[in-house]
Amino acid sequence: MKDRICMITGANSGIGKATALGLAKSGATVVMVCRNQGQGETALTEIKAPSGNESVDLMLADLASQESVRRLVKDFKDRHQHLHVLINNAGTYLTKRQVAVDGIETTFAVNYLARFLLTNLLLDTLKNSAPTRIIDVAGAYHSKGSIYFDDLQGEKDYDGARANNQSKLANVLFTYELARRLKGTGVTANCLHPGAVATSLVEKDPDYPSSMRLLYKLFKPFLKSPEKGAETSIYLASSPEVEGITGKYFVSKKEAKSSKESYDESVSRRLWEVSAKLTKMYENAT
Ligand SMILES: NC(=O)c1ccc[n+]([C@@H]2O[C@H](COP(=O)([O-])OP(=O)(O)OC[C@H]3O[C@@H](n4cnc5c(N)ncnc54)[C@H](OP(=O)(O)O)[C@@H]3O)[C@@H](O)[C@H]2O)c1
């Protein structure tokens, strides 16, 4: 992976941090996107030292804020001419509905809309650097989700699992739509389920019920380690086996079938149009 520049969001913890470490070990230039400077700097040190790779960089962004995503893209383009791998990994789980700075429900904003905006704003660089790869960390719970066009942001009916499942389905639909739109450009788009991985995702949720917290604590030792959970992301980012493969869903480094709704092109096209409006993408390109 020498001479390959890889951006990973949510790189300070869990699967994202393990992915950043794996790619740093392979010799890639790694751009870690984190929201908290202190946690980002700690993770940066913990990745640089064991990988022996000095080409690891930290960039700060709050993905709940579209202005922050736009600033991230500008800062990245000021520093780098090329981008070979974009891994949309950051995610959140919120039991209670929260609204982020743009007035958009936070799970939808972070888990999906930020990825839509970030990816689209980086497409010119990805195309100019082709062959390049976009990887979306979705999840198996996408199959329990639906896209609630009449209540995308859970204003009428919010539930943490419902919001998470919808956002993960949106990740898969976005990947498939991107792959269709990027045909012939040398940019591929694939998504994945990392497995059930022992991270702090739900533990960070201040409203995660105490009974569920206890249950999670009991089960955590039996879940995959973040290193194992990062294997499919690293595989999709670096393996020659998937060169040119696009528009697929992977589990344990193998192509898998995603849910029926995820293949519905009318849903993915509609979601794209709604997302473009919510991010003011056509009015307001970087
Ligand atoms: N763990 C699993 O079993 C599992 C299963 C299926 C899918 N996934 C997916 O895997 C991805 C990684 O999750 P994980 O399990 O590794 O959890 P994690 O350790 O909590 O990692 C999530 C990352 O996203 C970052 N993030 C959250 N909100 C952000 C924001 N507003 N701006 C910037 N960064 C933000 C977090 O930063 P902070 O540390 O600052 O919060 C953290 O770095 C997620 O997309 C998740 O949905 C996980």
Side-chain angles (χ1 to χ4, degrees), residues 10-16 35 39 61-64 89-92 110 115 137-139 164 168 193-197 199-201 204:
N12 62 288
S13 81
I15 298 162
R35 67 172 150 177
Q39 288 176 20
D62 177 1
L63 299 173
N89 165 83
T92 190
V110 173
R115 296 176 180 206
V137 182
N164 180 64
K168 296 288 113 183
H193 169 52
V197 187
T199 66
S200 309
L201 185 69
K204 287 175 188 168

Side-chain angles (χ1 to χ4, degrees), residues 26-87:
S26 74
T29 293
V30 176
V31 177
M32 302 169 60
V33 176
C34 305
R35 67 172 150 177
N36 178 289
Q37 179 149 16
Q39 288 176 20
E41 280 170 1
T42 303
L44 182 70
T45 310
E46 290 170 355
I47 287 168
K48 272 190 177 174
S51 65
N53 185 342
E54 279 303 307
S55 302
V56 186
D57 200 5
L58 172 65
M59 299 195 76
L60 296 177
D62 177 1
L63 299 173
S65 155
Q66 293 181 15
E67 191 195 327
S68 186
V69 173
R70 288 178 185 280
R71 207 175 319 119
L72 165 68
V73 172
K74 190 184 173 309
D75 291 350
F76 176 82
K77 289 181 179 178
D78 285 347
R79 286 195 222 173
H80 299 275
Q81 304 245 302
H82 295 286
L83 177 63
H84 302 102
V85 177
L86 168 62
I87 305 183

Side-chain angles (χ1 to χ4, degrees), residues 184-251:
T185 62
V187 186
T188 61
N190 292 295
C191 59
L192 66 112
H193 169 52
V197 187
T199 66
S200 309
L201 185 69
V202 289
E203 291 171 322
K204 287 175 188 168
D205 172 13
D207 302 304
Y208 201 60
S210 47
S211 56
M212 296 293 287
R213 205 174 278 275
L214 187 65
L215 205 64
Y216 187 69
K217 214 176 181 160
L218 289 171
F219 274 104
K220 209 171 172 181
F222 303 103
L223 303 181
K224 268 189 186 178
S225 66
E227 292 68 33
K228 280 259 156 217
E231 282 180 357
T232 304
S233 297
I234 295 169
Y235 171 75
L236 289 175
S238 57
S239 174
E241 280 173 25
V242 285
E243 188 71 57
I245 305 280
T246 191
K248 303 291 180 196
Y249 173 69
F250 284 78
V251 181

Side-chain angles (χ1 to χ4, degrees), residues 2-285:
K2 244 187 163 318
D3 304 325
R4 307 291 284 170
I5 303 174
C6 306
M7 177 188 280
I8 306 156
T9 66
N12 62 288
S13 81
I15 298 162
K17 184 179 172 191
T19 304
L21 178 59
L23 290 174
K25 281 182 175 165
S26 74
T29 293
V30 176
V31 177
M32 302 169 60
V33 176
C34 305
R35 67 172 150 177
N36 178 289
Q37 179 149 16
Q39 288 176 20
E41 280 170 1
T42 303
L44 182 70
T45 310
E46 290 170 355
I47 287 168
K48 272 190 177 174
S51 65
N53 185 342
E54 279 303 307
S55 302
V56 186
D57 200 5
L58 172 65
M59 299 195 76
L60 296 177
D62 177 1
L63 299 173
S65 155
Q66 293 181 15
E67 191 195 327
S68 186
V69 173
R70 288 178 185 280
R71 207 175 319 119
L72 165 68
V73 172
K74 190 184 173 309
D75 291 350
F76 176 82
K77 289 181 179 178
D78 285 347
R79 286 195 222 173
H80 299 275
Q81 304 245 302
H82 295 286
L83 177 63
H84 302 102
V85 177
L86 168 62
I87 305 183
N88 285 312
N89 165 83
T92 190
Y93 186 97
L94 295 168
T95 298
K96 284 199 180 150
R97 187 173 188 273
Q98 288 182 24
V99 176
V101 55
D102 302 307
I104 292 172
E105 186 275 309
T106 305
T107 305
F108 188 69
V110 173
N111 290 15
Y112 166 66
L113 215 50
R115 296 176 180 206
F116 176 88
L117 183 60
L118 180 63
T119 305
N120 273 292
L121 294 177
L122 287 169
L123 275 186
D124 51 354
T125 309
L126 284 158
K127 285 180 188 167
N128 290 336
S129 316
T132 53
R133 304 177 182 193
I134 299 165
I135 295 147
D136 245 70
V137 182
Y141 277 114
H142 82 272
S143 64
K144 296 196 185 302
S146 201
I147 304 296
Y148 304 99
F149 284 109
D150 61 339
D151 190 26
L152 271 181
Q153 302 184 46
E155 284 159 292
K156 296 184 210 157
D157 182 15
Y158 184 87
D159 173 78
R162 182 186 192 264
N164 180 64
N165 300 345
Q166 173 181 255
S167 72
K168 296 288 113 183
L169 174 60
N171 296 155
V172 181
L173 285 159
F174 175 51
T175 296
Y176 293 167
E177 184 63 26
L178 254 183
R180 282 189 286 273
R181 289 177 186 239
L182 291 173
K183 236 182 197 139
T185 62
V187 186
T188 61
N190 292 295
C191 59
L192 66 112
H193 169 52
V197 187
T199 66
S200 309
L201 185 69
V202 289
E203 291 171 322
K204 287 175 188 168
D205 172 13
D207 302 304
Y208 201 60
S210 47
S211 56
M212 296 293 287
R213 205 174 278 275
L214 187 65
L215 205 64
Y216 187 69
K217 214 176 181 160
L218 289 171
F219 274 104
K220 209 171 172 181
F222 303 103
L223 303 181
K224 268 189 186 178
S225 66
E227 292 68 33
K228 280 259 156 217
E231 282 180 357
T232 304
S233 297
I234 295 169
Y235 171 75
L236 289 175
S238 57
S239 174
E241 280 173 25
V242 285
E243 188 71 57
I245 305 280
T246 191
K248 303 291 180 196
Y249 173 69
F250 284 78
V251 181
S252 300
K253 301 197 271 185
K254 296 216 156 38
E255 266 184 56
K257 237 179 129 47
S258 55
S259 72
K260 191 165 173 246
E261 187 170 348
S262 70
Y263 293 108
D264 188 332
E265 292 185 27
S266 64
V267 176
S268 63
R269 272 198 303 272
R270 187 172 171 197
L271 181 63
W272 184 286
E273 289 313 317
V274 172
S275 310
K277 275 189 195 129
L278 286 170
T279 54
K280 301 183 181 67
M281 206 178 68
Y282 299 132
E283 299 157 39
N284 210 359

